């Protein structure tokens, strides 16, 4: 399962975002460092299901389909908050960054309303600076990556000297555990122009420059501009977009999404995460407080920003930054089903550029070991083995091996 890590300054709203995505009830409060250990949960990524265009009623197994929307599970990790100086032990320190480093993609949550001061304490809205917060936290993360590299420098040297390993391979040996690819390393070496420098000659600033490139190349990151339900947030949001580009900053109100998901769970409204609207089932069932909360949701967030942004942030991270495609493997290409007759049972996320063999490997080793070719189930055509899978492809893999008994 893909892993999404939620990082950011204390009090930015990470746990609120996490609870909204996973509907768990981890502790939320306006005290700094409420979250003391990482929390793991399962969130869902929303994508238009192929069932509608194929005109079939699906029976999903590894995911869920609601009203033609496929929800695919991803692991979400809520991390304790950071503050400036964390690498010198401020707040809870940087001990949990290693867990963020295990994620495939990161959501960096900032308080766009500027309601937290530089120490992470709640202050008058507008006084805090989300831009400064972002840089403070990124600085701590880069320091962690640098420290990790420096601590392993001797090991890298040994691999180069004793095993005659090329620099890139030796670095890969120590960095692969934090989801760094050989390509990330090659790109970082080339961007820093360190490929031509003897590793033994690397200066402190070389380690830092390389670590910084590795952090951004290996861990694509969306900036979640949270607390957009507060009017004061708009100015900071524009500043964030101007600095980092529209594609990387998503306007969000985690709190509003949480209100909607809770109301939906209580049966008060019908709401599909990510939608621009919700419907009140029976207005006479609402207490005055609930009515006020739903009016707030509409007035402060949906009417202005069209959606709460929680779902959009997840999609932007996985579909736009990671360039994942959703593929539906089926056994029976005519019925779009598995051997038990479940229609469109599974939805797999594979990176852009994946081939039918990559899909086979993701589904089961027996499919990969005996892989012969793949069929595009919607057209019935046999696909070339170097075919590049596209989003929403429905694929049947033909294999020489029998499926092992479950
Ligand atoms: N107005 C508004 N407040 C929010 C939003 N999201 C979170 N908050 C509030 O911000 C405060 C901090 O929220 P948390 O989710 O506990 O923040 P955190 O980042 O997990 O904090 P730590 O665990 O201490 O690092 C709480 O008072 C939340 O109710 C939002 O979208 N809008
Ligand atoms: Mg928290």
């Amino acid at each position: 399962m893909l892993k999404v890590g939620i990082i950011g300054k204390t009090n930015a709203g990470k746990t609120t975002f996490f609870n909204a995505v996973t509907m768990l009830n981890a502790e939320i409060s306006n005290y700094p460092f409420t979250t003391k250990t990482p929390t793991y949960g399962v969130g869902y990524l929303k994508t238009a299901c192929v069932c509608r265009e194929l005109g079939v009623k699906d029976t999903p197994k590894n995911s869920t389909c609601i009203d033609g929307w496929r929800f695919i599970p991803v692991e979400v990790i809520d991390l304790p908050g950071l503050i400036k100086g964390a690498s010198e032990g401020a707040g809870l320190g940087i001990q949990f960054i290693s867990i963020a480093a295990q994620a495939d993609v990161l959501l960096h949550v900032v308080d766009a309303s500027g309601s937290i001061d530089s120490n992470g304490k709640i202050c008058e809205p507008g006084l805090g600076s989300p831009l400064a917060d972002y840089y403070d936290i990124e600085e701590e993360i880069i320091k962690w990556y640098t420290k990790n590299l420096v601590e392993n420098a001797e090991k890298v040297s040994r691999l180069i000297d004793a095993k005659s390993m090329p620099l890139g391979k030796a670095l890969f040996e120590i960095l692969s555990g934090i989801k760094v690819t050989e390509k990330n390393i090659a790109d970082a070496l080339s961007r820093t122009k360190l490929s031509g420098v003897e590793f033994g000659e690397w200066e402190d600033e070389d380690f830092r420059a390389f670590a910084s490139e590795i952090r951004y190349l290996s861990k694509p990151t969306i900036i979640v501009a949270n607390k957009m339900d507060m009017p004061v947030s708009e100015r900071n949001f524009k500043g964030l977009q101007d600095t980092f580009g529209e594609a990387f900053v998503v306007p969000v109100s985690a709190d509003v999404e949480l209100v909607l998901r809770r109301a939906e769970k209580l049966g008060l409204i019908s709401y599909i995460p990510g939608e621009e609207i919700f419907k009140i089932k029976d207005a006479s069932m609402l207490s005055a407080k609930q009515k006020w909360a739903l009016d707030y949701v509409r007035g402060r967030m949906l009417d202005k920003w069209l959606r709460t942004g929680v779902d959009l942030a997840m999609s932007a991270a996985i579909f736009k930054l990671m360039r994942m495609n959703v593929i539906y493997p089926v056994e029976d290409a005519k019925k779009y089903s598995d051997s038990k007759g479940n229609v469109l049972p599974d939805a797999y996320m594979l990176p852009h550029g994946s081939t039918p063999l990559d899909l086979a490997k993701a589904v089961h080793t027996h499919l990969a070991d005996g892989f012969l070719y793949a069929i595009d189930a919607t057209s019935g055509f046999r696909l070339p083995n170097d075919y590049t899978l596209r989003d929403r492809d429905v694929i049947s893999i033909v294999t020489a091996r029998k499926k092992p008994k479950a």
Side-chain angles (χ1 to χ4, degrees):
M1 219 188 283
L2 279 180
K3 282 187 174 49
V4 181
I6 307 177
I7 56 162
K9 189 168 174 168
T10 184
N11 263 332
K14 297 177 296 300
T15 302
T16 310
F17 187 100
F18 171 85
N19 281 347
V21 165
T22 61
M23 273 299 280
L24 290 179
N25 278 323
E27 195 184 351
I28 298 174
S29 91
N30 57 10
Y31 292 107
F33 311 112
T34 303
T35 306
K36 300 216 167 40
T37 51
T39 313
Y40 298 82
V42 174
Y44 290 85
L45 201 66
K46 181 180 159 203
T47 167
C49 183
V50 285
C51 64
R52 292 246 161 121
E53 75 186 56
L54 297 181
V56 293
K57 170 82 194 81
D58 53 359
T59 26
K61 291 284 147 198
N62 81 342
S63 39
T64 313
C65 188
I66 307 172
D67 283 352
W69 292 104
R70 191 57 84 113
F71 290 85
I72 307 172
V74 288
E75 185 170 40
V76 187
I77 313 166
D78 177 27
L79 287 148
L82 292 160
I83 48 167
K84 188 176 182 163
S87 48
E88 280 87 46
L92 297 173
I94 51 166
Q95 51 177 325
F96 300 111
I97 295 182
S98 56
I99 294 174
Q102 305 293 332
D104 296 292
V105 69
L106 294 176
L107 299 177
H108 186 150
V109 182
V110 294
D111 177 347
S113 70
S115 309
I116 36 181
D117 68 16
S118 57
N119 298 315
K121 295 215 178 67
I122 297 285
C123 64
E124 197 184 313
L127 291 184
S129 162
L131 199 62
D133 290 346
Y134 172 87
Y135 285 123
D136 285 349
I137 300 317
E138 286 297 327
E139 173 64 20
E140 300 304 322
I141 295 172
I142 290 167
K143 277 188 180 151
W144 181 88
Y145 271 84
T146 310
K147 188 166 167 270
N148 186 23
L149 206 62
V150 169
E151 283 173 358
N152 280 291
E154 250 180 59
K155 198 170 163 199
V156 175
S157 295
R158 242 181 291 130
L159 289 169
I160 296 172
D161 297 339
K163 299 203 173 168
S164 319
M165 239 186 222
L167 174 60
K169 277 249 174 315
L171 287 167
F172 180 64
E173 285 280 312
I174 61 148
L175 294 173
S176 60
I178 47 173
K179 302 236 165 115
V180 177
T181 64
E182 289 190 73
K183 179 162 182 347
N184 295 152
I185 292 172
D187 290 346
L189 286 172
S190 132
R191 284 184 190 205
T192 51
K193 303 198 169 54
L194 282 166
S195 38
V197 181
E198 284 280 327
F199 186 67
E201 307 289 309
W202 281 27
E203 311 262 351
D204 288 353
E205 58 262 34
D206 295 330
F207 279 101
R208 189 193 152 94
F210 180 76
S212 171
E213 290 294 341
I214 285 292
R215 180 263 174 269
Y216 292 106
L217 289 167
S218 68
K219 218 61 78 182
T221 304
I222 284 287
I223 301 170
V224 171
N226 192 34
K227 310 193 188 180
M228 290 304 297
D229 51 290
M230 295 169 71
V232 57
S233 304
E234 197 166 337
R235 184 171 45 93
N236 283 327
F237 169 65
K238 292 230 164 73
L240 289 163
Q241 277 205 328
D242 289 346
T243 310
F244 301 109
E246 281 181 25
F248 297 97
V249 187
V250 179
V252 172
S253 175
D255 217 11
V256 161
E257 178 73 16
L258 196 54
V259 167
L260 287 172
R261 293 211 189 182
R262 283 185 177 151
E264 203 272 340
K265 208 169 181 188
L266 288 171
L268 300 173
I269 60 168
S270 39
Y271 169 67
I272 295 178
E275 295 284 274
E276 295 173 22
I277 45 159
F278 64 86
K279 260 202 219 111
I280 295 174
K281 287 191 175 162
D282 178 357
S284 66
M285 297 264 295
L286 299 178
S287 67
K289 208 171 154 201
Q290 286 166 337
K291 190 176 171 315
W292 179 87
L294 291 174
D295 283 346
Y296 181 98
V297 162
R298 213 176 251 141
R300 288 289 189 86
M301 202 61 205
L302 299 185
D303 285 352
K304 180 149 184 59
W305 300 100
L306 302 179
R307 50 183 80 79
T308 74
V310 165
D311 179 76
L312 186 65
M314 295 282 285
S315 301
I318 290 176
F319 295 130
K320 295 265 161 56
L321 290 191
M322 294 187 72
R323 298 183 75 195
M324 287 287 164
N325 288 326
V326 179
I327 317 292
Y328 297 79
V330 294
E331 230 175 293
D332 186 324
K334 291 206 172 77
K335 293 184 182 142
Y336 309 126
S337 71
D338 64 12
S339 59
K340 297 188 183 104
N342 298 306
V343 176
L344 299 170
D346 298 328
Y348 276 76
M349 277 188 290
L350 291 178
H352 173 82
S354 299
T355 63
L357 181 59
D358 293 324
L359 174 67
K361 282 182 193 156
V363 176
H364 200 287
T365 43
H366 93 273
L367 283 183
D369 293 347
F371 181 86
L372 293 174
Y373 59 91
I375 294 172
D376 171 35
T378 52
S379 65
F381 290 142
R382 178 178 167 164
L383 294 167
N385 286 350
D386 63 355
Y387 172 78
T388 305
L389 294 167
R390 287 172 316 171
D391 193 40
R392 308 174 82 233
D393 270 349
V394 183
I395 303 286
S396 175
I397 287 164
V398 179
T399 170
R401 291 256 181 118
K402 277 223 169 76
K403 193 175 175 183
K405 287 212 168 70

